[in-house]
Amino acid sequence: MKLPDPRLRLVSEPVGPVTAETRALAADMLDTMYDAPGIGLAAIQIGIAKRLVVIDLAKKDEERCPVVLVDPEITWSSEERRVHEEGCLSIPEYYEEVERPDRIRYRYRTLEGESVEQEADGILATCIQHEIDHLNGVMFIDHLSRLKRSRAIKKFEKAARREAEDA
Ligand code: NI
């Protein structure tokens, strides 16, 4: 699902208790993410408005290290911020530097129903913040200047119109 699809602006619903359906959705999301390839994906990016996120920061030549976050939330963010270049599978081939808190504490449940609270920094902190934004209908372009954001939106609106005409 790509910008400007309005579903990307939905606020996703809590997953609640993990079911076979949740596990199937997580498996689908991991497939989509690895196919892309990308390092993170939120369920709404495949059209499902549930608070489910998958992440894998392993490099191409490293073993896969998938993490599934059920109903994740950020419980603390550092004052210090860092800038990192971000991209998004829903905004293909568009990259911009985004400033966010450098460190976070976050809480989530695993597919086994275990409750976890951890700290993250660096690229993991960036990735988790980016994905939790998706659960709230926020995309990384929303953190850019108004000018950059509207340019990006226009570019993708134009591409969507062209695709519709070609179809
Ligand atoms: Ni994204």
Side-chain angles (χ1 to χ4, degrees):
M1 194 149 302
K2 279 188 290 185
L3 184 74
D5 192 308
R7 283 170 292 182
L8 289 166
R9 294 308 191 174
L10 293 174
V11 175
S12 293
E13 297 286 332
V15 172
V18 172
T19 62
E21 205 183 322
T22 318
R23 279 187 279 270
L25 174 57
D28 263 4
M29 288 166 64
L30 284 167
D31 282 348
T32 304
M33 181 181 74
Y34 289 129
D35 272 357
I39 59 170
L41 190 79
I44 194 59
Q45 294 182 269
I46 60 166
I48 311 286
K50 290 276 182 196
R51 302 186 81 83
L52 192 65
V53 164
V54 296
I55 289 175
D56 191 339
L57 299 182
K59 305 225 164 56
K60 242 191 264 165
D61 50 344
E62 290 171 356
E63 218 179 299
R64 282 180 179 179
C65 184
V67 180
V68 178
L69 311 179
V70 180
D71 292 334
E73 48 182 325
I74 290 168
T75 55
W76 172 82
S77 316
S78 68
E79 303 260 316
E80 311 100 89
R81 297 166 73 83
R82 76 191 283 268
V83 172
H84 191 270
E85 192 182 72
E86 294 188 29
C88 180
L89 297 180
S90 297
I91 315 177
E93 286 159 59
Y94 180 83
Y95 304 90
E96 276 292 345
E97 290 193 328
V98 178
E99 190 188 293
R100 298 182 186 269
D102 177 42
R103 280 179 304 131
I104 56 163
R105 243 186 123 67
Y106 63 110
R107 185 161 53 204
Y108 66 98
R109 279 176 300 121
T110 66
L111 282 181
E112 288 71 41
E114 193 190 345
S115 196
V116 179
E117 188 160 2
Q118 278 175 332
E119 246 182 72
D121 60 10
I123 183 142
L124 180 60
T126 293
C127 188
I128 289 168
Q129 293 177 80
H130 176 122
E131 299 310 331
I132 289 180
D133 269 357
H134 275 302
L135 306 183
N136 297 318
V138 175
M139 302 184 79
F140 84 87
I141 53 169
D142 301 336
H143 297 282
L144 304 177
S145 69
R146 186 178 300 213
L147 180 66
K148 274 190 182 164
R149 177 168 64 245
S150 64
R151 269 197 200 137
I153 291 171
K154 273 195 200 114
K155 180 180 154 184
F156 282 86
E157 279 172 349
K158 213 191 256 177
R161 271 200 300 275
R162 231 179 292 127
E163 265 173 47
E165 280 165 15
D166 291 347

